[in-house]
Amino acid sequence: MFVPTSDEPPEGGLADFAGFEELCASWREGLRPDPFLTVSDWADKHRMLAARASAEPGRYRTSRTPYMQEIMDCLSPGSATQRVVFMKAAQVGATEAGNNWIGFVIHQAPGPMLAVQPTVELAKRNSRHRIDPLIEESPALRDRVKPARSRDAGNTMLSKEFAGGILILTGANSAVGLRSTPARYIFLDEVDAYPASADDEGDPVTLAESRSLTFAHRRKVFLASTPTIRGLSRIEREYDASDQRRYHVPCPACGVMQWLRFERLRWDKGKPESVRYHCAACDAAIGEHSKTAMLEQGAWRATATASDGATAGFHLSALYSPAGWLSWAAIVRAFEAAQGSEESLKAFRNTILGETWVETGEAPDWQRLHDRRETWPAGSVPAGGLFLTAGADVQKDRIEVDVWAWGRGLESWLIDHVVLDGGPGDAACWSGLDQLLSRSWPSASGKAMRLLRLAIDTGYEAPAVYAWARRSGAAQVAPIKGVESFNRASPVTGPTYVDATSRGKRLRRGAKLWTVGGSTFKAETYRFLRLPRPSEEELDAGATYPAGTVHLPAWIDSEWCKQFVGEQLVTVRTKRGFSRLEWQKLRERNEALDCRVYARAAAWLIGADRWPSSHWADLEEEFGLRAEPLVAAPEAGPEAASSPSASPPQTHTLKSRRRQGRRIRRSSWMS
């Protein structure tokens, strides 16, 4: 057998054909082993970003996000790390790093791979918008995965076959997809958005990782996610069990290595562009123009000892976003905009700081609530109350109803507490509810106000509640079903139609049921109860109550106050060993808290959480709360005062200007 070892043609005429030199070069190239590459090396050499999948198309550069290099290299076969945990802010490059790993596996280290998104639909979307461009735009991958249009290509929406392996994409909500095949490589993206159980078969992360156990030390698992709520967050639990690495960068002034904290940002209030980062060692002010150099010189450092030596944990906030992405000024602007809104602050902490949100649910002292009761005319709505809702709790022998008035910023006042004896089996009880719907309460401005919406619980004697709600009409009555969960996309969902014929056809005028996440509204109520309140001197000087303040009337008794704070938020362990937050009763009766949650859900249903400032201004105008002039009226001179034909000076108020510009719409629930 002839083996060419040089480009010199041998004697004897064996090289008397065209292309001999190319043949020799190809032979030697085939004998040369593939170069050893890490995932980051491979990405810099082979990865191309498509315009439809990236804000910065072109060749991938690890130097753009230097903090991702060590994370990707831990996923390389040469690293002893088996599990990589990345708790991070949104949009810091984690998903692209995971896609680099997918490309590396297809090209350099083939094997079965499982990529899991929160749902199957998201997995399909990820396949179209991320995986297909990854393959199409990178020449090293294009020839290894056949086009989806070819017959028997093994390339489908959720399955990509390549020489030596297969990539399976699935959702955490599909138990079948999670246990479909053994996998050496597992990419679990956004694990905090996974459901608690995959088709009632168990935790999706546990099911997915069990697919890799047969590969022993050769397996690689990558878990990445933005965190959610402390005690419920999967990624936080995994990070806490790791070596908890932080990305340390040097101070340009003193050179001390430190990891960036939001608390070290300082700026002039209302001027985000003035923000500077202050060194923890020398307190020098660092401008954002220094961040690029700081990131290039940065390094990951462990801050804890891992319970499993094969697991590496990384945490990163958006303060490390490279130039051109999310600036420090934009972060400060987002923080200032989030003030006053718990949901906005929660999103800021999760997506910008990459940290979990702490739900505060400890029960306030009922005695403190009882001591700070306020006095206003019984049965009336104080100034500031702009609409009324009610919550009704159905018990075996009675129905309890609390009527709440709501103002701008969800400031609220308890207006009435009604107990209808008899229970759902007594027609007089439902008749009392009918009278409550038609009743009115006087406001401080003299207007009569009626209930805009009443939310009634269906947990006891649901058919009787549906029957009354059907008679009363969906415009004013909302039957609700409470669920205890913090992970709902919306605190109120629905409606579902609960009335149908024997053939299953929906009735046109059937009852509609709404699902209410009671945990969210309870946590909000307890937060409102802890808000600081201005003193009498401050109120006399013109201070106002903060948004969300809860005002309780003097006529409520101690029993009602105890019911209002009759639960507390605790962390419990499930049978599988996971933590979750749960509201637990401190006492047997808690109807006051339940009625508050239902009334708050009714306010959400009418859209109070989504009204623009102009709508609140219209309501305040209806009640005479914004009657101040926009432009001061000119004072009449002596000639005008003595002239009989002189017209009185006009004062242009907010009301008169709006009438000139557009039609005024009156609120329909006020008589």
Side-chain angles (χ1 to χ4, degrees):
M1 178 179 178
F2 169 67
V3 179
T5 59
S6 70
D7 292 337
E8 295 295 330
E11 297 181 358
L14 294 178
D16 294 341
F17 61 90
F20 177 78
E21 291 78 6
E22 290 79 1
L23 175 62
C24 291
S26 298
W27 184 275
R28 288 193 301 273
E29 182 68 22
L31 293 178
R32 182 181 299 116
D34 291 334
F36 176 79
L37 296 177
T38 63
V39 174
S40 63
D41 292 337
W42 181 92
D44 287 335
K45 185 176 181 179
H46 297 288
R47 177 76 195 279
M48 298 296 294
L49 299 173
R52 62 174 170 145
S54 174
E56 298 180 358
R59 184 168 296 280
Y60 182 90
R61 293 174 296 148
T62 303
S63 59
R64 190 78 172 95
T65 54
Y67 48 77
M68 294 304 307
Q69 179 175 350
E70 184 171 335
I71 297 175
M72 289 189 287
D73 291 350
C74 284
L75 297 170
S76 306
S79 171
T81 302
Q82 296 181 23
R83 299 176 79 250
V84 177
V85 177
F86 190 19
M87 184 169 74
K88 45 87 179 180
Q91 303 300 320
V92 293
T95 300
E96 288 302 334
N99 291 339
N100 290 341
W101 183 39
I102 292 175
F104 175 87
V105 168
I106 295 175
H107 187 208
Q108 295 287 314
M113 188 173 197
L114 179 65
V116 184
Q117 292 289 323
T119 65
V120 174
E121 285 303 315
L122 286 177
K124 293 179 179 178
R125 187 185 307 172
N126 183 64
S127 177
R128 289 192 301 267
H129 298 290
R130 297 288 187 127
I131 305 303
D132 287 346
L134 164 71
I135 296 171
E136 294 168 4
E137 299 295 331
S138 301
L141 305 179
R142 199 179 302 143
D143 296 335
R144 285 171 167 75
V145 181
K146 295 181 180 180
R149 59 180 178 271
S150 63
R151 180 173 297 180
D152 299 328
N155 183 351
T156 65
M157 182 77 72
L158 298 177
S159 177
K160 312 288 183 183
E161 292 185 10
F162 50 90
I166 183 174
L167 170 64
I168 296 177
L169 300 102
T170 188
N173 59 342
S174 171
V176 174
L178 294 176
R179 51 180 169 80
S180 57
T181 183
R184 177 182 175 184
Y185 309 106
I186 299 178
F187 179 21
L188 304 174
D189 198 12
E190 293 299 338
V191 296
D192 270 19
Y194 289 4
S197 179
D199 296 333
D200 297 325
E201 293 192 19
D203 176 55
V205 173
T206 304
L207 291 176
E209 288 204 54
S210 65
R211 300 292 90 201
S212 66
L213 296 180
T214 56
F215 290 91
H217 64 279
R218 295 184 298 143
R219 71 173 186 147
K220 294 284 184 180
V221 180
F222 183 30
L223 301 94
S225 183
T226 301
T228 51
I229 299 174
R230 181 168 299 176
L232 298 180
S233 173
R234 287 188 176 93
I235 198 69
E236 183 190 47
R237 182 171 63 247
E238 297 288 351
Y239 177 76
D240 288 345
S242 71
D243 53 5
Q244 301 180 25
R245 303 182 191 185
R246 302 269 190 175
Y247 197 69
H248 288 65
V249 295
C251 169
C254 66
V256 172
M257 299 290 285
Q258 58 199 286
W259 61 276
L260 302 182
R261 309 167 187 255
F262 178 72
E263 294 76 14
R264 303 300 302 176
L265 289 180
R266 299 175 188 171
W267 66 95
D268 298 331
K269 188 175 182 180
K271 295 181 179 180
E273 63 279 0
S274 66
V275 65
R276 295 291 185 272
Y277 188 90
H278 285 253
C279 173
C282 67
D283 204 41
I286 305 171
E288 192 157 14
H289 62 276
S290 303
K291 185 162 64 170
T292 300
M294 294 166 64
L295 292 178
E296 290 174 351
Q297 302 171 47
W300 288 100
R301 294 183 178 179
T303 61
T305 302
S307 58
D308 177 10
T311 299
F314 302 84
H315 177 270
L316 198 78
S317 73
L319 270 68
Y320 293 90
S321 291
W325 290 15
L326 189 65
S327 66
W328 290 345
I331 292 174
V332 168
R333 192 173 294 110
F335 176 74
E336 289 186 339
Q339 300 306 303
S341 170
E342 183 179 19
E343 289 302 314
S344 298
L345 288 172
K346 177 180 178 181
F348 177 85
R349 190 171 186 87
N350 292 161
T351 62
I352 303 297
L353 302 185
E355 298 175 355
T356 52
W357 173 260
V358 180
E359 292 285 0
T360 55
E362 297 82 3
D365 182 14
W366 71 267
Q367 186 65 54
R368 183 162 51 91
L369 300 182
H370 191 267
D371 292 342
R372 70 182 188 193
R373 294 173 300 167
E374 304 171 34
T375 301
W376 66 79
S380 65
V381 181
L386 303 178
F387 66 92
L388 302 179
T389 66
D393 187 26
V394 180
Q395 300 290 328
K396 180 179 180 181
D397 58 348
R398 68 193 184 283
I399 298 179
E400 296 203 17
V401 185
D402 280 343
V403 178
W404 287 87
W406 303 89
R408 185 188 284 264
L410 295 179
E411 188 175 0
S412 59
W413 295 261
L414 178 64
I415 302 303
D416 212 337
H417 173 66
V418 180
V419 179
L420 302 172
D421 295 323
D426 191 343
C429 195
W430 299 111
S431 177
L433 275 183
D434 291 332
Q435 296 174 15
L436 193 66
L437 292 179
S438 59
R439 180 180 166 185
S440 62
W441 289 260
S443 69
S445 64
K447 294 180 178 294
M449 303 175 63
R450 295 177 60 182
L451 285 177
L452 181 57
R453 188 69 63 91
L454 181 144
I456 183 169
D457 180 38
T458 60
Y460 184 81
E461 289 281 358
V465 176
Y466 295 150
W468 176 75
R470 194 182 307 115
R471 293 194 305 269
S472 302
Q476 200 175 8
V477 174
I480 62 173
K481 177 182 68 174
V483 293
E484 296 296 334
S485 174
F486 282 103
N487 294 330
R488 302 180 61 82
S490 173
V492 182
T493 56
T496 57
Y497 294 84
V498 295
D499 285 339
T501 64
S502 58
R503 296 183 178 181
K505 184 178 179 181
R506 191 181 71 193
L507 295 178
R508 293 182 59 187
R509 299 182 63 85
K512 294 187 289 187
L513 178 67
W514 299 86
T515 302
V516 175
S519 297
T520 301
F521 288 142
K522 288 175 184 177
E524 177 194 74
T525 297
Y526 278 31
R527 177 170 59 87
F528 286 166
L529 291 175
R530 289 190 177 84
L531 290 173
R533 303 167 74 93
S535 63
E536 293 293 339
E537 294 77 11
E538 292 172 333
L539 291 173
D540 294 339
T544 59
Y545 288 99
T549 299
V550 179
H551 301 272
L552 302 179
W555 48 261
I556 61 170
D557 56 13
S558 59
E559 172 60 25
W560 191 96
C561 292
K562 292 176 182 178
Q563 292 182 20
F564 198 52
V565 291
E567 296 187 19
Q568 67 176 352
L569 189 63
V570 298
T571 302
V572 298
R573 289 277 181 180
T574 65
K575 293 180 179 179
R576 293 188 175 92
F578 298 110
S579 299
R580 64 183 177 88
L581 295 176
E582 181 179 281
W583 285 94
Q584 293 184 354
K585 286 186 176 182
L586 296 172
R587 60 200 314 277
E588 182 61 28
R589 295 187 58 183
N590 65 339
E591 293 88 346
L593 179 59
D594 287 341
C595 288
R596 162 73 183 201
V597 169
Y598 306 153
R600 174 67 179 89
W604 192 97
L605 282 173
I606 67 173
D609 295 72
R610 302 171 293 283
W611 285 344
S613 180
S614 58
H615 188 88
W616 288 105
D618 285 346
L619 291 178
E620 289 170 339
E621 181 184 349
E622 292 280 358
F623 288 89
L625 299 180
R626 288 186 178 271
E628 65 276 5
L630 292 177
V631 180
E635 294 183 6
E639 297 83 6
S642 60
S643 173
S645 60
S647 58
Q650 294 184 357
T651 301
H652 296 287
T653 64
L654 179 66
K655 188 171 183 179
S656 64
R657 273 190 131 178
R658 285 203 174 115
R659 282 181 174 168
Q660 292 171 10
R662 61 179 175 84
R663 178 183 175 186
I664 294 294
R665 295 186 178 180
R666 296 288 180 180
S667 305
S668 60
W669 65 87
M670 292 182 293
S671 58

